[in-house]
Amino acid sequence: MLATLARVAALRRTGLLSGRGGGRGLWTSHPQSDVDNIKPLEGVKILDLTRILAGPFATMNLGDLGAEVIKVERPGTGDDTRTWGPPFVGTESTYFLSVNRNKKSIAVNIKDPKGVKIIKELAAVCDVFVENYVPGKLSAVGLGYEDIDKIAPHIIYCSITGYGQTGPMSQRAGYDAVASAVSGLMHITGPEDGDPVRPGVAMTDLATGLYAYGAIMAGLIQRYKTGKGLFIDCNLLSSQVACLTQVAANYLMGQKEAKRWGTAHGSIVPYQILNLPDLIDDSKYKTNHLRVQNRKELIEILSTRFEEELTSKWLYLFEGSGVPYGPINNLKNVFAEPQGLPSFWRVWGPQGKGQQAVALQEACVKETFTQHQYVLHNGLVMEMKHPTVGEISVPGPAVRYSKFKMSEARPPPLLGQHTTHILKEVLRYNDRAIGELLSSGVVTQHEAE
Amino acid sequence: MLATLARVAALRRTGLLSGRGGGRGLWTSHPQSDVDNIKPLEGVKILDLTRILAGPFATMNLGDLGAEVIKVERPGTGDDTRTWGPPFVGTESTYFLSVNRNKKSIAVNIKDPKGVKIIKELAAVCDVFVENYVPGKLSAVGLGYEDIDKIAPHIIYCSITGYGQTGPMSQRAGYDAVASAVSGLMHITGPEDGDPVRPGVAMTDLATGLYAYGAIMAGLIQRYKTGKGLFIDCNLLSSQVACLTQVAANYLMGQKEAKRWGTAHGSIVPYQAFKTKDGYLVVGAGNNEQFATVCKILNLPDLIDDSKYKTNHLRVQNRKELIEILSTRFEEELTSKWLYLFEGSGVPYGPINNLKNVFAEPQGLPSFWRVWGPQGKGQQAVALQEACVKETFTQHQYVLHNGLVMEMKHPTVGEISVPGPAVRYSKFKMSEARPPPLLGQHTTHILKEVLRYNDRAIGELLSSGVVTQHEAE
């Protein structure tokens, strides 16, 4: 073991396993010039009335680009996901912590006309208004698009719903699992001979959030040209159906009903290639088209062969081959803490002396370190100090830019953590007015600040 | 049957089932004022060297917002996905047709220095350069970021890869299935007691494409402020790990390793698909009130006050027992009956639709109908028949209403239809539906109109094979 760790340390020194910041100057977390460190959405204020996942994910991504996100929450419970656990970190659910960094929380009761007034005043000084209420609900309290457009014609008003603003399904609340089912995604996901399943994370919600994130920026670009705001309709069902891409096209044009394929692909076979030389010249498998036709037989031969060896041996054999390959990682392996090493190691420990065993051990050590270095290198884990629950870590931003740093990692807010701050600094309320709103319960302020 | 169709026609007249364009003026496909019909990305030129899915999906979405997309393809084969089928429509695979609308195709050999020169000249007059080559490959032919930045410092250069620009995995080609595995998505997808599976469509590729689509717009916004371009690094693994959101946070902060849940949810019960007599219904009860409603609909009133199931926390703890009771009940009835009973209940519900039901062609009606046809006379049967007719029409109206299917006339293969844009805007129409290009369909056009090459220069490039032009135009 000592020899292997020494080998890894040597790999590190050669730069093959790089530390934070990576190799090319282009890619460090330091922009080329301080003057250039202007974030695209700096100065943009977003009034965020969304809750749960799609909306918060969109505004979090916009916050990463420099926007200021003011998260409006209902006093008492706030965003429902604050209570969605276990797991919790102290009082906050990991669910809430994962998609709400860098936002300020103002707790306002929008069922009270005084609360509605505050929201309208905030809208007048914000650039973007995002919400995910069932269509009609916000209009009923005077916060619909027409209401906000009257007092803030510059506003980019983005609604995120389950099924759109109008039409026969628009009054149904939007939930990822249901949208995933109605849109066809669940039908096409699952074992070939088994029941449908959902993707293990709410990809429909997340795709909708990403569409909204882009759409809001399109709205800002539009405003540069026209000086006016606009309304944006994002919804789960449309987003997921749009993402069906070729699966939908196969049906619409090829009359080919979709089915489940497990881990395989409908039109490409095989994803795995093995060194079984007789297969290479076999007339049944010469082209992809033939491989698709003879898929069952071919996959059976390949599967039998794969089951004969450990994952780590295959990783060793496939490295540098040019063929796409990778293990199915559980979360521990995704984040590949070096101390998580034993997950591969335990398999090897009692076995293997001799040169091949050492080579294989190094392969699995190397793969684990490789994965871990990737995680560090690409900033996939963002660590922050939360004011009450302490150290937290969440998945970080996915995209990196050469000319600016992503927003500093500031922790997700406590419920109403910034109520007073926002009323004072953004809306210029005096202390007496704020005191009245607090004592009448129109707004609440978190004790911690 | 005639009576039911008459009832549906009446529903249509009342506006409950709306035709194209919907109810509110805000939502029609006609913008409020002709003067306002400026698309956000009108005037933006995108030089698109991407292939397969993530990149083409991103540039297609940007094209929908008005950008002009010039798709650079290798002569001969072009984008690999042109051959990914069956199914094909004529010569073009449905795969290719589904993600390449509204683009112009120029077929250029970038292994030839003359081809590289053309790309550089195009970059100088474009706003965005998008590519998905393994890092280093484009630099090797003189088309890397530093090369393009020198001649076009305004360029927004977006690279889409499997694993990023640098670091230990950067030389591996990016494939959705592999990224899906390495990122943890596959581990958490599949039946609770079964093997991992992939989402049925390449959601990792698509999420990366959506990140890129947003990032490119962020780059354009940045350029308004600084006057300069920049480089953007999008990759499959980072995009998918970022999308792990609470699943990753549960592990990072709660030390909770992820597992597969089938259609269920780790922290909310009940929230999953239930087998019915003839299919599956997804039902979610996110709070106690909804749970009570579900119990009433299922005619299991004793569950409402059962101390084991009073709160979500308790329902999670006693999941197995509760789900078994509910499952048994759900299996007793047809999907269409449950749709009828759940309508207007306030509880989230929906059938697991196959593609036929997603697009719910009215002539696809028999899929529900066949079940009902021989049965059911009498009032309840009629009500149930109407329910499934209504659900199918509802779905179909939704599809029409929200422009989910985009129809186009392709120059050689005829009528095609693909999923349309997901997002709608009040002040402008999305780009007109123009068909995906044939390989090299616009080569001559682009060399002539964009780069002002004369006919002789174009002729030389064609005869030497540096570029190719499709016969159809």
Side-chain angles (χ1 to χ4, degrees), chain A residues 137-203:
Chain A
K137 293 274 188 283
L138 282 186
S139 297
V141 297
L143 293 175
Y145 176 60
E146 300 88 342
D147 305 301
I148 301 297
D149 184 46
K150 264 202 202 94
I151 52 140
H154 63 277
I155 207 94
I156 286 132
Y157 190 117
C158 179
S159 288
I160 299 174
T161 55
Y163 305 94
Q165 289 297 309
T166 54
M169 312 214 273
S170 60
Q171 288 302 299
R172 301 186 193 184
Y175 287 78
D176 176 272
V178 176
S180 180
V182 177
S183 66
L185 179 63
M186 230 191 250
H187 173 75
I188 60 176
T189 301
E192 196 170 350
D193 308 310
D195 292 328
V197 299
R198 267 187 336 130
V201 72
M203 288 308 291

Side-chain angles (χ1 to χ4, degrees), chain A residues 16 18 56 59 78 94 115 117 172 177 180 186 193 259 272 274 291-292 303 307 310 412 420 423 445:
Chain A
L16 183 65
S18 46
T59 58
T94 52
K117 181 163 170 288
R172 301 186 193 184
S180 180
M186 230 191 250
D193 308 310
K259 55 167 282 206
Q272 314 95 320
L274 273 177
R291 290 189 291 270
V292 170
S303 300
E307 277 190 76
L310 294 161
T420 309
L423 290 173
Q445 166 66 44

Side-chain angles (χ1 to χ4, degrees), chain B residues 252-412:
Chain B
L252 291 169
M253 290 185 285
Q255 284 76 54
K256 188 179 169 189
E257 177 57 71
K259 54 168 284 208
R260 290 182 283 287
W261 287 101
T263 61
H265 195 290
S267 344
I268 310 170
V269 174
Y271 187 84
Q272 65 179 74
F274 292 95
K275 262 205 168 111
T276 64
K277 209 168 187 176
D278 64 336
Y280 305 88
L281 186 77
V282 172
V283 173
N287 57 41
N288 300 335
E289 207 176 286
Q290 286 178 352
F291 176 65
T293 309
V294 171
C295 295
K296 287 194 195 107
I297 293 174
L298 265 57
N299 202 18
L300 294 165
D302 297 336
L303 289 182
I304 303 178
D305 293 312
D306 191 324
S307 59
K308 279 178 289 187
Y309 311 127
K310 264 198 162 325
T311 65
N312 183 63
H313 198 66
L314 285 162
R315 291 192 287 274
V316 170
Q317 281 179 342
N318 299 306
R319 169 199 290 267
K320 219 162 179 278
E321 200 183 310
L322 175 59
I323 294 303
E324 216 176 293
I325 298 170
L326 299 176
S327 300
T328 308
R329 185 73 190 91
F330 271 112
E331 275 191 81
E332 291 170 4
E333 306 287 352
L334 296 161
T335 306
S336 44
K337 178 152 190 186
W338 291 123
L339 293 173
Y340 168 70
L341 291 171
F342 271 92
E343 192 186 352
S345 63
V347 171
Y349 73 95
I352 294 185
N353 280 331
N354 61 11
L355 276 273
K356 196 175 198 177
N357 290 332
V358 171
F359 295 107
E361 301 299 317
Q363 51 269 31
L365 200 50
S367 60
F368 277 133
W369 197 256
R370 253 194 304 266
V371 174
W372 279 103
Q375 295 172 311
K377 298 182 193 348
Q379 220 186 8
Q380 202 200 39
V382 170
L384 289 164
Q385 283 165 356
E386 280 185 7
C388 67
V389 168
K390 189 165 160 206
E391 187 72 21
T392 311
F393 267 104
T394 294
Q395 180 80 18
H396 183 60
Q397 287 305 314
Y398 177 89
V399 166
L400 288 179
H401 185 78
N402 285 281
L404 291 194
V405 178
M406 207 173 211
E407 287 168 342
M408 292 168 272
K409 189 156 167 53
H410 187 281
T412 58

Side-chain angles (χ1 to χ4, degrees), chain A residues 230-296:
Chain A
L230 79 170
F231 185 106
I232 302 171
D233 171 357
C234 285
N235 65 82
L236 298 180
L237 184 47
S238 296
S239 299
Q240 187 58 69
V241 172
C243 283
L244 290 182
T245 54
Q246 80 275 10
V247 175
N250 289 355
Y251 171 74
L252 292 170
M253 292 185 284
Q255 285 77 49
K256 186 179 170 192
E257 177 57 71
K259 55 167 282 206
R260 291 183 280 287
W261 289 98
T263 58
H265 191 290
S267 330
I268 311 168
V269 175
Y271 259 39
Q272 314 95 320
I273 299 175
L274 273 177
N275 199 15
L276 289 164
D278 296 334
L279 290 183
I280 302 175
D281 292 311
D282 192 324
S283 59
K284 279 179 290 188
Y285 311 128
K286 264 198 162 324
T287 66
N288 185 63
H289 197 65
L290 285 162
R291 290 189 291 270
V292 170
Q293 281 180 342
N294 298 305
R295 95 187 286 139
K296 216 162 182 272

Side-chain angles (χ1 to χ4, degrees), chain A residues 30-357:
Chain A
H30 306 293
Q32 303 281 58
S33 142
D34 282 339
V35 173
D36 280 324
N37 192 24
I38 303 163
K39 303 187 210 312
L41 301 186
E42 225 161 283
V44 172
K45 275 198 174 60
I46 299 179
L47 192 58
D48 179 6
L49 275 72
T50 67
R51 300 115 336 137
I52 318 298
L53 184 57
F57 187 65
T59 58
M60 177 179 78
N61 276 292
L62 295 167
D64 283 342
L65 293 173
E68 179 184 350
V69 182
I70 297 173
K71 186 179 175 79
V72 176
E73 297 187 74
R74 166 181 45 183
T77 43
D79 185 320
D80 291 312
T81 59
R82 286 182 182 274
T83 60
W84 284 13
F88 289 91
V89 185
T91 53
E92 309 298 278
S93 73
T94 52
Y95 195 118
F96 179 83
L97 294 174
S98 71
V99 290
N100 285 286
R101 65 172 170 267
N102 266 331
K103 303 178 192 177
K104 296 184 176 143
S105 167
I106 179 172
V108 184
N109 179 8
I110 63 171
K111 293 198 174 129
D112 187 315
K114 293 204 195 82
V116 172
K117 181 163 170 288
I118 292 170
I119 302 301
K120 280 180 143 160
E121 290 173 3
L122 282 170
V125 298
C126 285
D127 298 279
V128 180
F129 185 110
V130 203
E131 58 88 8
N132 71 332
Y133 285 80
V134 168
K137 293 274 188 283
L138 282 186
S139 297
V141 297
L143 293 175
Y145 176 60
E146 300 88 342
D147 305 301
I148 301 297
D149 184 46
K150 264 202 202 94
I151 52 140
H154 63 277
I155 207 94
I156 286 132
Y157 190 117
C158 179
S159 288
I160 299 174
T161 55
Y163 305 94
Q165 289 297 309
T166 54
M169 312 214 273
S170 60
Q171 288 302 299
R172 301 186 193 184
Y175 287 78
D176 176 272
V178 176
S180 180
V182 177
S183 66
L185 179 63
M186 230 191 250
H187 173 75
I188 60 176
T189 301
E192 196 170 350
D193 308 310
D195 292 328
V197 299
R198 267 187 336 130
V201 72
M203 288 308 291
T204 301
D205 255 333
L206 295 165
T208 306
L210 288 173
Y211 264 116
Y213 142 85
I216 287 168
M217 283 194 280
L220 288 167
I221 291 174
Q222 180 73 339
R223 199 173 68 187
Y224 275 117
K225 300 185 179 195
T226 65
K228 295 188 224 168
L230 79 170
F231 185 106
I232 302 171
D233 171 357
C234 285
N235 65 82
L236 298 180
L237 184 47
S238 296
S239 299
Q240 187 58 69
V241 172
C243 283
L244 290 182
T245 54
Q246 80 275 10
V247 175
N250 289 355
Y251 171 74
L252 292 170
M253 292 185 284
Q255 285 77 49
K256 186 179 170 192
E257 177 57 71
K259 55 167 282 206
R260 291 183 280 287
W261 289 98
T263 58
H265 191 290
S267 330
I268 311 168
V269 175
Y271 259 39
Q272 314 95 320
I273 299 175
L274 273 177
N275 199 15
L276 289 164
D278 296 334
L279 290 183
I280 302 175
D281 292 311
D282 192 324
S283 59
K284 279 179 290 188
Y285 311 128
K286 264 198 162 324
T287 66
N288 185 63
H289 197 65
L290 285 162
R291 290 189 291 270
V292 170
Q293 281 180 342
N294 298 305
R295 95 187 286 139
K296 216 162 182 272
E297 197 184 314
L298 175 58
I299 294 303
E300 217 177 292
I301 298 170
L302 300 178
S303 300
T304 308
R305 184 76 189 89
F306 271 113
E307 277 190 76
E308 292 171 3
E309 306 286 354
L310 294 161
T311 306
S312 45
K313 177 152 190 188
W314 290 124
L315 293 173
Y316 168 69
L317 291 172
F318 272 92
E319 192 186 353
S321 63
V323 172
Y325 73 97
I328 293 185
N329 280 332
N330 61 13
L331 274 273
K332 196 175 200 177
N333 290 332
V334 171
F335 295 106
E337 301 299 318
Q339 53 269 30
L341 201 48
S343 60
F344 277 131
W345 197 256
R346 255 195 302 267
V347 174
W348 279 101
Q351 297 173 308
K353 301 180 197 335
Q355 216 184 14
Q356 203 202 38

